[in-house]
Amino acid sequence: MGLLFEQIDSQPSEIGEITLRRRKIPAIGDRDIFEVKLGEEFLMSSMFVDAEIALSDLGLSETEGDNLSVVVGGLGLGYTAVAALKHERVGELLIVEYLEPVIGWHQQELVPLGADINADARSRYVHGSFFDLAIAEPSEGGFDPASLGRTFDAILLDIDHSPRALLHDSNASFYTTENIGKMAQQLKPRGIFAMWSNEGEDEEFMAVLRDVFAEVACHYVRFFNPFQNRESFNTVYVARKPG
């Protein structure tokens, strides 16, 4: 079965020490589980990825046209990005990640999906704060550093655990009508914003989305949790810009 636990890398980052680990859990089979920790807090795991994949599938299923330009906010272990690349209509994928070590793990292919992203010419890593780039004035910035003020067919976000459970308190200002509205300026007419959450439907956040977007839905993504021996769920918000 090999090693049950291995620390692959640990580096300082803009918000603290970040660590990449791999482990096996014999009770659930001989598979590698990759984990990322920020200090003592678990940021992400490859144990449950159904909703990260559903974020791309649900969001992109609502897009219109071909040769789609897509932004993924939060690289993580790469599941949302790779799921997006499996959609043939995607022509370009920008992956915005604040933590430079996370980009490095993928570029060096220390995580399994790094090879898939690196091999696809449609993908590009952008090192920066999703939240800062989201609210930049179109004439001064935006998600694509090579093309200021451009717009996209879809923006897929998976960074905070939910609109309330934040990785950093400063992220709270994003989940407002004003700043969600600024982000929506980077969407084409009828473009899609989709977001992952670890919690159930948040009515206050749904109201914010309705203030900005023409169509809003919250989808429950259910999966079996062997640790609790029961079904668990995450949610994916999907919103369409007027146009």
Side-chain angles (χ1 to χ4, degrees):
M1 181 174 285
L3 291 174
L4 293 181
F5 176 85
E6 178 187 7
Q7 181 167 301
I8 299 172
D9 189 35
S10 186
Q11 295 186 42
S13 77
E14 295 87 339
I15 55 176
E17 190 78 11
I18 188 165
T19 302
L20 174 65
R21 317 190 315 178
R22 176 174 52 209
R23 66 182 173 125
K24 294 183 186 290
I25 304 173
I28 62 170
D30 185 23
R31 70 181 259 219
D32 288 326
I33 306 296
F34 286 82
E35 301 170 333
V36 177
K37 292 186 69 177
L38 180 64
E40 294 304 312
E41 179 183 2
F42 279 93
L43 283 188
M44 59 201 78
S45 168
S46 63
M47 183 74 192
F48 307 114
V49 298
D50 303 66
E52 284 85 346
I53 294 170
L55 171 59
S56 283
D57 291 345
L58 289 168
L60 295 179
S61 69
E62 293 295 326
T63 56
E64 300 171 347
D66 296 307
N67 196 30
L68 302 175
S69 55
V70 180
V71 173
V72 167
L75 172 56
L77 290 170
Y79 286 92
T80 298
V82 169
L85 291 170
K86 290 181 179 178
H87 288 253
E88 294 182 356
R89 292 188 301 128
V90 171
E92 181 183 18
L93 182 71
L94 272 63
I95 309 165
V96 180
E97 174 56 52
Y98 182 56
L99 300 174
E100 195 165 14
V102 175
I103 295 177
W105 294 337
H106 286 76
Q107 290 174 326
Q108 299 167 50
E109 300 181 4
L110 297 179
V111 291
L113 297 184
D116 294 327
I117 296 172
N118 297 337
D120 198 313
R122 295 174 296 167
S123 66
R124 175 158 41 112
Y125 301 108
V126 177
H127 177 222
S129 165
F130 174 92
F131 300 111
D132 290 344
L133 298 177
I135 64 173
E137 291 298 324
S139 61
E140 300 175 3
F143 291 120
D144 188 351
S147 181
L148 303 185
R150 68 174 296 196
T151 55
F152 302 89
D153 295 287
I155 299 172
L156 313 175
L157 176 59
D158 177 6
I159 294 179
D160 288 318
H161 298 307
S162 78
R164 310 289 156 230
L166 309 174
L167 294 186
H168 194 277
D169 291 344
S170 63
N171 296 353
S173 62
F174 173 73
Y175 301 98
T176 61
T177 298
E178 178 183 4
N179 284 339
I180 293 284
K182 288 180 178 178
M183 179 205 64
Q185 294 180 51
Q186 297 192 58
L187 283 171
K188 297 176 183 179
R190 295 186 60 77
I192 296 296
F193 170 62
M195 191 186 86
W196 172 90
S197 173
N198 190 47
E199 299 179 356
E201 182 174 337
D202 185 314
E203 281 301 327
E204 184 177 338
F205 183 59
M206 287 286 283
V208 168
L209 293 177
R210 291 189 183 103
D211 285 341
V212 176
F213 295 98
E215 303 171 27
V216 177
C218 181
H219 302 268
Y220 280 74
V221 181
R222 304 183 187 277
F223 53 89
F224 180 71
N225 185 332
F227 296 117
Q228 299 175 345
N229 195 32
R230 64 177 175 84
E231 187 178 73
S232 295
F233 70 86
N234 295 157
T235 49
V236 174
Y237 297 91
V238 180
R240 184 186 304 278
K241 183 176 177 177

